Amino acid sequence: QVQLVESGGGLVQAGGSLRLSCAASGRTFSRYAMGWFRQAPGKEREVVAGISWSGVSTWYADSVKGRFTISRDNAKNTVYLQVNSLKPEDTAVYYCAADGTGRGSYAYWGQGTQVTVSS
């Protein structure tokens, strides 16, 4: 089992940057692919980015390509999401999640961190 705790959200002006962190408990963190998701008020949750267990493979939603970067440090049991060139439409609660199957089945979720982008 994996427990996830996000941090790093906040209020930022358009064009600004944040670094979101997701700290995982447990000794098997390196066995999980990880993903970042977000949910804006009144909207469905959407996937933002994902990273393989090794960190070699990453992928992004079209809406954030070139602006967001996902990375992980397995020695620190942490996955990061660097978010740059923020737009008001990036405002959402951001969640990290763990996938132990390698098939996009995210069984473990954090509580989320709020990102608010002012125009």
Side-chain angles (χ1 to χ4, degrees), residues 74-88:
N74 286 342
K76 296 183 178 180
N77 280 11
T78 302
V79 62
Y80 305 97
L81 187 68
Q82 179 68 41
V83 296
N84 299 328
S85 302
L86 283 163
K87 305 174 182 179

Side-chain angles (χ1 to χ4, degrees), residues 10-18 86 115-119:
L11 174 63
V12 63
Q13 289 188 333
S17 298
L18 289 170
L86 283 163
V115 172
T116 303
V117 185
S118 63
S119 56

